[in-house]
Short mmCIF file of all heavy atoms in Angstrom, two decimals:
data_model
loop_
_atom_site.label_atom_id
_atom_site.label_comp_id
_atom_site.label_asym_id
_atom_site.label_seq_id
_atom_site.Cartn_x
_atom_site.Cartn_y
_atom_site.Cartn_z
N MET A 7 35.04 -6.31 -15.97
CA MET A 7 34.22 -5.17 -16.17
C MET A 7 32.76 -5.56 -16.42
O MET A 7 31.87 -4.95 -15.81
CB MET A 7 34.80 -4.38 -17.37
CG MET A 7 34.01 -3.14 -17.69
SD MET A 7 34.27 -1.95 -16.39
CE MET A 7 33.29 -0.67 -16.95
N LEU A 8 32.56 -6.63 -17.22
CA LEU A 8 31.20 -7.08 -17.42
C LEU A 8 30.56 -7.62 -16.11
O LEU A 8 29.32 -7.33 -15.88
CB LEU A 8 31.21 -8.19 -18.47
CG LEU A 8 29.82 -8.72 -18.87
CD1 LEU A 8 28.97 -7.67 -19.50
CD2 LEU A 8 30.03 -9.89 -19.79
N PHE A 9 31.32 -8.24 -15.27
CA PHE A 9 30.81 -8.78 -14.02
C PHE A 9 30.35 -7.60 -13.10
O PHE A 9 29.32 -7.68 -12.47
CB PHE A 9 31.93 -9.56 -13.29
CG PHE A 9 31.43 -10.07 -11.95
CD1 PHE A 9 30.55 -11.10 -11.85
CD2 PHE A 9 31.94 -9.48 -10.79
CE1 PHE A 9 30.13 -11.51 -10.59
CE2 PHE A 9 31.51 -9.95 -9.54
CZ PHE A 9 30.61 -10.98 -9.45
N VAL A 10 31.07 -6.52 -13.11
CA VAL A 10 30.73 -5.38 -12.29
C VAL A 10 29.34 -4.76 -12.77
O VAL A 10 28.50 -4.40 -12.02
CB VAL A 10 31.85 -4.33 -12.31
CG1 VAL A 10 31.40 -3.04 -11.61
CG2 VAL A 10 33.09 -4.84 -11.60
N VAL A 11 29.20 -4.64 -14.10
CA VAL A 11 28.05 -4.06 -14.71
C VAL A 11 26.83 -5.01 -14.35
O VAL A 11 25.74 -4.52 -13.93
CB VAL A 11 28.16 -3.87 -16.18
CG1 VAL A 11 26.85 -3.50 -16.83
CG2 VAL A 11 29.26 -2.82 -16.50
N VAL A 12 26.99 -6.27 -14.49
CA VAL A 12 25.92 -7.21 -14.22
C VAL A 12 25.56 -7.19 -12.73
O VAL A 12 24.38 -7.23 -12.35
CB VAL A 12 26.32 -8.63 -14.66
CG1 VAL A 12 25.31 -9.70 -14.18
CG2 VAL A 12 26.43 -8.75 -16.17
N ALA A 13 26.57 -7.07 -11.90
CA ALA A 13 26.33 -7.02 -10.40
C ALA A 13 25.57 -5.72 -10.03
O ALA A 13 24.58 -5.77 -9.27
CB ALA A 13 27.62 -7.03 -9.67
N ILE A 14 25.88 -4.64 -10.63
CA ILE A 14 25.24 -3.37 -10.34
C ILE A 14 23.77 -3.46 -10.87
O ILE A 14 22.85 -3.02 -10.16
CB ILE A 14 25.97 -2.20 -10.99
CG1 ILE A 14 27.27 -1.97 -10.32
CG2 ILE A 14 25.10 -0.97 -10.99
CD1 ILE A 14 28.17 -0.91 -10.97
N ILE A 15 23.52 -3.98 -12.01
CA ILE A 15 22.18 -4.15 -12.58
C ILE A 15 21.37 -5.06 -11.64
O ILE A 15 20.19 -4.79 -11.35
CB ILE A 15 22.18 -4.66 -14.00
CG1 ILE A 15 22.78 -3.55 -14.95
CG2 ILE A 15 20.80 -5.11 -14.48
CD1 ILE A 15 23.03 -4.04 -16.36
N ALA A 16 21.99 -6.16 -11.19
CA ALA A 16 21.25 -7.10 -10.32
C ALA A 16 20.90 -6.39 -9.03
O ALA A 16 19.75 -6.57 -8.51
CB ALA A 16 22.12 -8.29 -10.04
N ILE A 17 21.76 -5.62 -8.43
CA ILE A 17 21.49 -4.95 -7.18
C ILE A 17 20.40 -3.93 -7.35
O ILE A 17 19.45 -3.82 -6.52
CB ILE A 17 22.76 -4.26 -6.62
CG1 ILE A 17 23.74 -5.36 -6.18
CG2 ILE A 17 22.44 -3.28 -5.51
CD1 ILE A 17 25.12 -4.80 -5.81
N VAL A 18 20.41 -3.18 -8.48
CA VAL A 18 19.37 -2.12 -8.75
C VAL A 18 18.02 -2.86 -8.91
O VAL A 18 17.00 -2.43 -8.36
CB VAL A 18 19.73 -1.37 -9.98
CG1 VAL A 18 18.53 -0.55 -10.44
CG2 VAL A 18 20.91 -0.41 -9.69
N LEU A 19 17.98 -3.97 -9.64
CA LEU A 19 16.75 -4.73 -9.86
C LEU A 19 16.23 -5.29 -8.55
O LEU A 19 15.05 -5.33 -8.23
CB LEU A 19 16.95 -5.84 -10.85
CG LEU A 19 17.02 -5.34 -12.33
CD1 LEU A 19 17.32 -6.53 -13.21
CD2 LEU A 19 15.85 -4.54 -12.76
N LEU A 20 17.15 -5.70 -7.62
CA LEU A 20 16.75 -6.30 -6.36
C LEU A 20 16.11 -5.21 -5.46
O LEU A 20 15.07 -5.44 -4.91
CB LEU A 20 17.95 -6.91 -5.74
CG LEU A 20 17.75 -7.60 -4.38
CD1 LEU A 20 16.86 -8.85 -4.56
CD2 LEU A 20 19.00 -8.00 -3.72
N ILE A 21 16.74 -4.06 -5.44
CA ILE A 21 16.22 -2.92 -4.64
C ILE A 21 14.85 -2.46 -5.20
O ILE A 21 13.91 -2.26 -4.48
CB ILE A 21 17.26 -1.80 -4.58
CG1 ILE A 21 18.47 -2.23 -3.77
CG2 ILE A 21 16.62 -0.54 -4.03
CD1 ILE A 21 19.62 -1.26 -3.83
N THR A 22 14.77 -2.39 -6.54
CA THR A 22 13.54 -1.90 -7.18
C THR A 22 12.44 -2.87 -6.93
O THR A 22 11.29 -2.54 -6.63
CB THR A 22 13.80 -1.74 -8.69
OG1 THR A 22 14.86 -0.82 -8.85
CG2 THR A 22 12.52 -1.12 -9.32
N GLY A 23 12.73 -4.17 -7.08
CA GLY A 23 11.73 -5.18 -6.79
C GLY A 23 11.18 -5.17 -5.39
O GLY A 23 10.00 -5.27 -5.11
N GLY A 24 12.06 -4.98 -4.42
CA GLY A 24 11.60 -4.91 -3.04
C GLY A 24 10.85 -3.67 -2.79
O GLY A 24 9.80 -3.63 -2.02
N PHE A 25 11.17 -2.56 -3.41
CA PHE A 25 10.45 -1.38 -3.27
C PHE A 25 9.08 -1.47 -3.85
O PHE A 25 8.12 -1.06 -3.26
CB PHE A 25 11.19 -0.21 -3.96
CG PHE A 25 10.62 1.15 -3.74
CD1 PHE A 25 10.70 1.74 -2.48
CD2 PHE A 25 10.14 1.86 -4.81
CE1 PHE A 25 10.14 2.99 -2.24
CE2 PHE A 25 9.60 3.15 -4.55
CZ PHE A 25 9.60 3.69 -3.34
N VAL A 26 8.96 -2.10 -5.03
CA VAL A 26 7.65 -2.29 -5.66
C VAL A 26 6.79 -3.23 -4.84
O VAL A 26 5.57 -2.93 -4.61
CB VAL A 26 7.79 -2.82 -7.07
CG1 VAL A 26 6.50 -3.30 -7.64
CG2 VAL A 26 8.42 -1.80 -7.97
N GLN A 27 7.33 -4.25 -4.24
CA GLN A 27 6.54 -5.14 -3.39
C GLN A 27 6.08 -4.40 -2.13
O GLN A 27 4.93 -4.64 -1.68
CB GLN A 27 7.43 -6.32 -2.99
CG GLN A 27 7.54 -7.40 -4.06
CD GLN A 27 8.33 -8.59 -3.66
OE1 GLN A 27 8.92 -8.62 -2.59
NE2 GLN A 27 8.36 -9.64 -4.50
N SER A 28 6.89 -3.54 -1.56
CA SER A 28 6.46 -2.81 -0.32
C SER A 28 5.37 -1.81 -0.71
O SER A 28 4.42 -1.62 0.06
CB SER A 28 7.65 -2.14 0.30
OG SER A 28 8.17 -1.13 -0.51
N LEU A 29 5.52 -1.15 -1.91
CA LEU A 29 4.42 -0.29 -2.37
C LEU A 29 3.20 -1.01 -2.63
O LEU A 29 2.04 -0.52 -2.28
CB LEU A 29 4.88 0.47 -3.56
CG LEU A 29 5.87 1.59 -3.41
CD1 LEU A 29 6.20 2.27 -4.70
CD2 LEU A 29 5.32 2.67 -2.44
N ASN A 30 3.26 -2.21 -3.19
CA ASN A 30 2.06 -3.06 -3.41
C ASN A 30 1.37 -3.36 -2.12
O ASN A 30 0.18 -3.30 -2.00
CB ASN A 30 2.46 -4.29 -4.18
CG ASN A 30 1.25 -5.02 -4.73
OD1 ASN A 30 0.16 -4.46 -4.74
ND2 ASN A 30 1.45 -6.27 -5.17
N PHE A 31 2.14 -3.71 -1.09
CA PHE A 31 1.60 -4.04 0.23
C PHE A 31 0.94 -2.83 0.84
O PHE A 31 -0.15 -2.88 1.35
CB PHE A 31 2.79 -4.53 1.16
CG PHE A 31 2.31 -4.73 2.61
CD1 PHE A 31 1.50 -5.74 2.89
CD2 PHE A 31 2.71 -3.82 3.52
CE1 PHE A 31 1.11 -5.92 4.26
CE2 PHE A 31 2.34 -3.95 4.81
CZ PHE A 31 1.52 -5.05 5.20
N LEU A 32 1.60 -1.64 0.78
CA LEU A 32 1.04 -0.43 1.34
C LEU A 32 -0.26 -0.05 0.54
O LEU A 32 -1.20 0.50 1.13
CB LEU A 32 2.02 0.70 1.23
CG LEU A 32 3.19 0.59 2.19
CD1 LEU A 32 4.19 1.69 2.02
CD2 LEU A 32 2.69 0.55 3.66
N LEU A 33 -0.30 -0.32 -0.78
CA LEU A 33 -1.53 -0.04 -1.54
C LEU A 33 -2.68 -0.88 -1.01
O LEU A 33 -3.77 -0.32 -0.82
CB LEU A 33 -1.26 -0.31 -3.00
CG LEU A 33 -2.46 -0.15 -3.98
CD1 LEU A 33 -2.77 1.37 -4.01
CD2 LEU A 33 -2.14 -0.63 -5.35
N TRP A 34 -2.39 -2.13 -0.78
CA TRP A 34 -3.53 -3.00 -0.24
C TRP A 34 -3.89 -2.59 1.10
O TRP A 34 -5.10 -2.59 1.48
CB TRP A 34 -3.10 -4.45 -0.29
CG TRP A 34 -3.23 -5.02 -1.69
CD1 TRP A 34 -2.23 -5.41 -2.52
CD2 TRP A 34 -4.45 -5.26 -2.34
NE1 TRP A 34 -2.78 -5.83 -3.64
CE2 TRP A 34 -4.13 -5.79 -3.61
CE3 TRP A 34 -5.82 -5.08 -2.02
CZ2 TRP A 34 -5.09 -6.19 -4.57
CZ3 TRP A 34 -6.73 -5.45 -2.97
CH2 TRP A 34 -6.41 -5.98 -4.23
N VAL A 35 -2.99 -2.13 1.98
CA VAL A 35 -3.31 -1.65 3.33
C VAL A 35 -4.20 -0.38 3.15
O VAL A 35 -5.14 -0.24 3.88
CB VAL A 35 -2.04 -1.37 4.18
CG1 VAL A 35 -2.38 -0.59 5.42
CG2 VAL A 35 -1.33 -2.66 4.48
N GLY A 36 -3.90 0.50 2.32
CA GLY A 36 -4.68 1.67 2.02
C GLY A 36 -6.05 1.33 1.58
O GLY A 36 -7.05 1.94 1.99
N VAL A 37 -6.18 0.36 0.69
CA VAL A 37 -7.51 -0.07 0.22
C VAL A 37 -8.37 -0.59 1.34
O VAL A 37 -9.54 -0.26 1.55
CB VAL A 37 -7.39 -1.09 -0.92
CG1 VAL A 37 -8.73 -1.71 -1.22
CG2 VAL A 37 -6.78 -0.46 -2.16
N VAL A 38 -7.76 -1.42 2.19
CA VAL A 38 -8.47 -2.00 3.33
C VAL A 38 -8.91 -0.87 4.34
O VAL A 38 -10.05 -0.85 4.76
CB VAL A 38 -7.61 -3.08 4.10
CG1 VAL A 38 -8.26 -3.50 5.41
CG2 VAL A 38 -7.42 -4.26 3.18
N LEU A 39 -7.99 0.08 4.62
CA LEU A 39 -8.38 1.20 5.46
C LEU A 39 -9.49 1.99 4.87
O LEU A 39 -10.36 2.48 5.61
CB LEU A 39 -7.19 2.02 5.79
CG LEU A 39 -6.08 1.36 6.69
CD1 LEU A 39 -4.92 2.29 6.83
CD2 LEU A 39 -6.72 1.06 8.05
N LEU A 40 -9.45 2.21 3.57
CA LEU A 40 -10.50 3.00 2.94
C LEU A 40 -11.86 2.31 3.03
O LEU A 40 -12.88 2.88 3.37
CB LEU A 40 -10.16 3.19 1.43
CG LEU A 40 -11.15 4.02 0.63
CD1 LEU A 40 -11.29 5.46 1.16
CD2 LEU A 40 -10.73 3.96 -0.83
N VAL A 41 -11.86 0.99 2.84
CA VAL A 41 -13.11 0.26 2.96
C VAL A 41 -13.63 0.26 4.41
O VAL A 41 -14.85 0.47 4.62
CB VAL A 41 -12.84 -1.26 2.52
CG1 VAL A 41 -14.06 -2.15 2.89
CG2 VAL A 41 -12.66 -1.33 0.99
N LEU A 42 -12.78 0.17 5.38
CA LEU A 42 -13.20 0.27 6.76
C LEU A 42 -13.75 1.64 7.09
O LEU A 42 -14.76 1.76 7.81
CB LEU A 42 -11.97 -0.13 7.73
CG LEU A 42 -11.56 -1.52 7.73
CD1 LEU A 42 -10.35 -1.66 8.63
CD2 LEU A 42 -12.68 -2.42 8.23
N ALA A 43 -13.12 2.70 6.59
CA ALA A 43 -13.61 4.05 6.84
C ALA A 43 -14.98 4.24 6.14
O ALA A 43 -15.85 4.83 6.79
CB ALA A 43 -12.61 5.04 6.21
N VAL A 44 -15.19 3.69 4.99
CA VAL A 44 -16.49 3.84 4.31
C VAL A 44 -17.55 3.09 5.09
O VAL A 44 -18.67 3.55 5.29
CB VAL A 44 -16.44 3.34 2.82
CG1 VAL A 44 -17.83 3.18 2.27
CG2 VAL A 44 -15.59 4.29 2.02
N ILE A 45 -17.23 1.87 5.58
CA ILE A 45 -18.21 1.08 6.41
C ILE A 45 -18.52 1.88 7.67
O ILE A 45 -19.70 1.91 8.05
CB ILE A 45 -17.60 -0.35 6.70
CG1 ILE A 45 -17.59 -1.13 5.39
CG2 ILE A 45 -18.49 -1.03 7.69
CD1 ILE A 45 -16.89 -2.45 5.55
N ALA A 46 -17.55 2.45 8.38
CA ALA A 46 -17.77 3.15 9.57
C ALA A 46 -18.65 4.39 9.28
O ALA A 46 -19.54 4.70 10.06
CB ALA A 46 -16.48 3.56 10.25
N PHE A 47 -18.37 5.05 8.20
CA PHE A 47 -19.20 6.25 7.83
C PHE A 47 -20.59 5.89 7.52
O PHE A 47 -21.56 6.53 7.99
CB PHE A 47 -18.54 6.92 6.58
CG PHE A 47 -19.35 8.05 6.04
CD1 PHE A 47 -19.32 9.23 6.74
CD2 PHE A 47 -20.13 7.96 4.90
CE1 PHE A 47 -20.06 10.33 6.21
CE2 PHE A 47 -20.85 8.97 4.42
CZ PHE A 47 -20.83 10.15 5.05
N LEU A 48 -20.83 4.78 6.81
CA LEU A 48 -22.21 4.31 6.47
C LEU A 48 -22.95 3.89 7.80
O LEU A 48 -24.16 4.20 7.94
CB LEU A 48 -22.14 3.18 5.47
CG LEU A 48 -21.73 3.57 4.07
CD1 LEU A 48 -21.65 2.34 3.19
CD2 LEU A 48 -22.71 4.52 3.49
N ILE A 49 -22.27 3.20 8.71
CA ILE A 49 -22.88 2.79 9.94
C ILE A 49 -23.32 4.03 10.75
O ILE A 49 -24.41 4.09 11.27
CB ILE A 49 -21.97 1.86 10.68
CG1 ILE A 49 -21.88 0.51 10.06
CG2 ILE A 49 -22.49 1.74 12.19
CD1 ILE A 49 -20.90 -0.44 10.71
N ARG A 50 -22.43 5.01 10.77
CA ARG A 50 -22.74 6.26 11.51
C ARG A 50 -23.91 6.97 10.80
O ARG A 50 -24.75 7.53 11.58
CB ARG A 50 -21.53 7.16 11.53
CG ARG A 50 -21.70 8.31 12.57
CD ARG A 50 -20.39 9.02 12.78
NE ARG A 50 -20.17 9.82 11.55
CZ ARG A 50 -19.01 10.40 11.26
NH1 ARG A 50 -18.02 10.25 12.07
NH2 ARG A 50 -18.89 11.14 10.14
N MET A 51 -23.95 7.01 9.49
CA MET A 51 -25.08 7.70 8.90
C MET A 51 -26.39 6.93 9.08
O MET A 51 -27.45 7.57 9.25
CB MET A 51 -24.79 7.79 7.35
CG MET A 51 -23.68 8.75 7.00
SD MET A 51 -24.02 10.44 7.47
CE MET A 51 -25.28 10.82 6.31
N VAL A 52 -26.33 5.60 9.05
CA VAL A 52 -27.59 4.87 9.24
C VAL A 52 -28.04 4.94 10.63
O VAL A 52 -29.29 5.08 10.88
CB VAL A 52 -27.33 3.33 8.82
CG1 VAL A 52 -28.50 2.48 9.26
CG2 VAL A 52 -27.10 3.27 7.32
N SER A 53 -27.22 4.90 11.60
CA SER A 53 -27.62 4.90 13.00
C SER A 53 -28.08 6.35 13.40
O SER A 53 -28.78 6.48 14.42
CB SER A 53 -26.45 4.53 13.93
OG SER A 53 -25.43 5.46 13.87
N GLY A 54 -27.65 7.40 12.68
CA GLY A 54 -28.15 8.71 12.95
C GLY A 54 -27.40 9.44 13.98
O GLY A 54 -27.73 10.57 14.39
N ARG A 55 -26.32 8.88 14.56
CA ARG A 55 -25.56 9.56 15.54
C ARG A 55 -24.66 10.61 14.90
O ARG A 55 -24.01 10.29 13.86
CB ARG A 55 -24.67 8.57 16.34
CG ARG A 55 -25.49 7.73 17.31
CD ARG A 55 -24.67 6.90 18.16
NE ARG A 55 -23.97 5.91 17.31
CZ ARG A 55 -23.04 5.04 17.80
NH1 ARG A 55 -22.64 5.19 19.03
NH2 ARG A 55 -22.51 4.18 17.05
N ARG A 56 -24.55 11.77 15.44
CA ARG A 56 -23.71 12.85 14.87
C ARG A 56 -22.45 13.07 15.57
O ARG A 56 -21.62 13.80 15.12
CB ARG A 56 -24.55 14.15 14.81
CG ARG A 56 -25.75 14.09 13.99
CD ARG A 56 -25.38 13.98 12.50
NE ARG A 56 -26.57 13.81 11.71
CZ ARG A 56 -26.56 13.22 10.54
NH1 ARG A 56 -25.44 12.70 10.04
NH2 ARG A 56 -27.66 13.12 9.82
N ASN A 57 -22.21 12.42 16.74
CA ASN A 57 -20.96 12.67 17.44
C ASN A 57 -19.85 11.81 16.77
O ASN A 57 -20.09 10.79 16.18
CB ASN A 57 -21.13 12.30 18.89
CG ASN A 57 -21.60 10.86 19.11
OD1 ASN A 57 -21.97 10.16 18.16
ND2 ASN A 57 -21.65 10.42 20.36
N VAL A 58 -18.70 12.35 16.86
CA VAL A 58 -17.54 11.69 16.20
C VAL A 58 -16.78 10.86 17.22
O VAL A 58 -16.47 11.31 18.24
CB VAL A 58 -16.58 12.75 15.57
CG1 VAL A 58 -15.44 12.06 14.97
CG2 VAL A 58 -17.37 13.56 14.56
#
């Protein structure tokens, strides 16, 4: 019985750890995309072009 409980806890922690790592990766991807969007916006504002 104890082995089953430990196995279930280990599986839950493994899934949760992978989920947190993937969320961390997606967070960094979002930050990079935000920075690129801000840079593109600033370049467009400085160059004075209004077309998208």
Side-chain angles (χ1 to χ4, degrees):
M7 181 68 183
L8 182 63
F9 177 73
V10 173
V11 172
V12 171
I14 291 174
I15 292 174
I17 291 172
V18 168
L19 289 176
L20 183 66
I21 292 172
T22 306
F25 188 65
V26 168
Q27 283 182 350
S28 66
L29 283 181
N30 193 12
F31 172 73
L32 290 176
L33 178 68
W34 280 110
V35 169
V37 168
V38 169
L39 289 177
L40 180 65
V41 168
L42 289 176
V44 168
I45 290 172
F47 176 75
L48 290 176
I49 290 174
R50 194 172 71 192
M51 291 298 290
V52 169
S53 66
R55 287 187 292 175
R56 296 292 176 207
N57 56 355
V58 176

